[in-house]
């Protein structure tokens, strides 16, 4: 059984989970059950916990350039036995280049708890595009050098943890949207509720969440607001249905206002 990258279509052995070319999570080519542990392919393990993150990233780059399939298990590097000689030569060369004693340095870890695979992959792709060394774990978290933490916080917020302080709607906009929904939940014909909803819809974007608000939650709010707006624009809409949609929007907004 092989795994395939959904972005670049590269194929890898079944034990590789992340594309060495673009950092995207791989998918299996078939729906067959995983092999039992005793049938799992043999791997050579290199323990790189004492290597600085920048050198771990250098190792990944070297392996990708040489077309050597590999996977990270924390700070352990796993490769196919057929590639052991080539890997040993690479490590000898890198250690000679670095010289002296290796110092792993300070690191920062982002768990990305609750994130979906697409958003985690987008973070990894942005880090790679920005030449920021990183390491992924089995749970989807990302480890970076402490010196890069501020840059990574910006990327994480932009992708899934909320936009930057200058992007997305303000707290006032969220408050106005909440008030509009609160009025419409009780009176589907409320002119103040309608005016407040229309003005708020002009200021919100599903791809620009307020600072600190997770993108998935924000998109659900925007979707509910759009549905309410469509319902109000439809003269045939049932008032009770309008009130129900407004109540749903209000409940989605309540934790953030």
């Amino acid at each position: 059984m092989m795994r395939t990258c959904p972005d670049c279509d590269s194929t890898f052995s079944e034990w590789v989970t992340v594309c060495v070319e673009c950092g995207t999570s791989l998918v299996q080519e078939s729906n067959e059950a995983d092999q039992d542990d005793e049938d799992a392919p043999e791997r050579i393990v290199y323990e790189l916990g004492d290597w600085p993150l920048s050198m771990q990233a250098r190792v990944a780059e070297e392996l990708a350039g040489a077309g050597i399939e590999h996977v990270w298990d924390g700070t352990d590097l796993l490769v196919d036995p057929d590639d052991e000689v080539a890997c040993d030569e690479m490590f000898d060369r890198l250690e000679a280049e670095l010289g002296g004693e290796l110092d792993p340095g300070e690191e920062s870890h982002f768990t990305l708890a609750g994130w979906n695979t697409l958003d985690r992959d987008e973070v990894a792709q942005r880090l790679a595009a920005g030449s920021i060394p990183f390491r992924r774990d089995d749970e989807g978290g990302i480890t970076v050098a402490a010196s890069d933490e501020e840059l990574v916080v910006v990327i994480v917020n932009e992708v899934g943890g909320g936009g930057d302080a200058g992007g997305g709607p303000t707290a006032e906009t969220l408050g106005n949207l909440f008030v509009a929904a609160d009025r419409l939940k009780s009176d589907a014909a409320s002119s103040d509720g309608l005016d407040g909803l229309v003005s708020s819809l002009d200021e919100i974007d599903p791809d620009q969440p307020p600072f600190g608000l997770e993108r998935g939650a924000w998109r659900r709010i925007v979707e509910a607001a759009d549905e309410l707006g469509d319902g109000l624009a439809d003269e045939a809409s049932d008032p009770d249905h309008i009130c129900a949609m407004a109540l749903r929007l209000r409940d989605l907004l309540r934790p953030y206002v």
Side-chain angles (χ1 to χ4, degrees):
M1 186 187 306
M2 301 292 289
R3 290 182 184 268
T4 302
C5 174
D7 287 344
C8 65
D9 294 327
S10 298
T11 57
F12 303 89
S13 298
E14 61 180 308
W15 53 269
V16 180
T17 59
V18 178
C19 179
V20 301
E21 301 293 339
C22 59
T24 302
S25 296
L26 302 178
V27 296
Q28 291 184 342
E29 290 187 345
S30 71
N31 294 323
E32 297 178 15
D34 293 336
Q35 293 178 320
D36 295 332
D37 290 342
E38 59 268 20
D39 296 329
E42 182 184 358
R43 314 175 195 181
I44 302 298
V45 179
Y46 293 90
E47 298 178 355
L48 303 182
D50 291 334
W51 283 55
L53 189 60
S54 59
M55 288 304 294
Q56 293 175 18
R58 172 75 180 278
V59 168
E61 291 175 1
E62 292 275 346
L63 294 174
I68 297 176
E69 297 177 3
H70 62 283
V71 66
W72 291 97
D73 181 10
T75 57
D76 291 346
L77 176 71
L78 285 64
V79 300
D80 190 275
D82 292 340
D83 296 316
E84 182 178 10
V85 174
C87 288
D88 287 344
E89 294 176 351
M90 176 197 66
F91 281 116
D92 289 342
R93 174 169 51 80
L94 291 179
E95 288 176 329
E97 287 182 13
L98 187 63
E101 186 173 339
L102 293 169
D103 180 6
E106 296 294 329
E107 297 180 345
S108 296
H109 183 68
F110 295 79
T111 63
L112 307 186
W115 285 40
N116 59 49
T117 301
L118 290 178
D119 285 347
R120 284 170 168 163
D121 287 346
E122 184 175 344
V123 170
Q125 290 165 7
R126 291 197 185 193
L127 293 176
S131 299
I132 300 175
F134 67 95
R135 181 178 66 249
R136 302 179 74 166
D137 59 34
D138 291 340
E139 287 74 37
I142 287 179
T143 299
V144 299
S147 58
D148 291 324
E149 180 177 356
E150 292 185 6
L151 293 174
V152 179
V153 167
V154 173
I155 292 174
V156 168
N157 283 341
E158 288 179 349
V159 173
D164 58 42
T170 63
E172 181 180 0
T173 299
L174 288 183
N176 291 339
L177 185 59
F178 176 81
V179 170
D182 188 59
R183 288 174 175 169
L184 289 167
K185 77 176 176 58
S186 301
D187 180 8
S190 170
S191 58
D192 289 341
L194 176 59
D195 291 342
L197 177 68
V198 171
S199 62
S200 297
L201 286 174
D202 290 337
E203 299 177 19
I204 61 177
D205 182 335
D207 294 323
Q208 288 291 326
F211 179 74
L213 202 160
E214 193 270 331
R215 187 168 62 176
W218 174 241
R219 285 180 172 173
R220 289 190 290 274
I221 290 173
V222 175
E223 179 183 351
D226 285 338
E227 289 178 352
L228 178 57
D230 291 341
L232 288 167
D234 186 355
E235 295 181 357
S237 293
D238 177 29
D240 289 339
H241 184 53
I242 295 293
C243 292
M245 289 192 293
L247 177 60
R248 175 174 179 266
L249 175 60
R250 179 190 181 280
D251 289 345
L252 289 173
L253 284 163
R254 189 66 187 90
Y256 310 107
V257 297

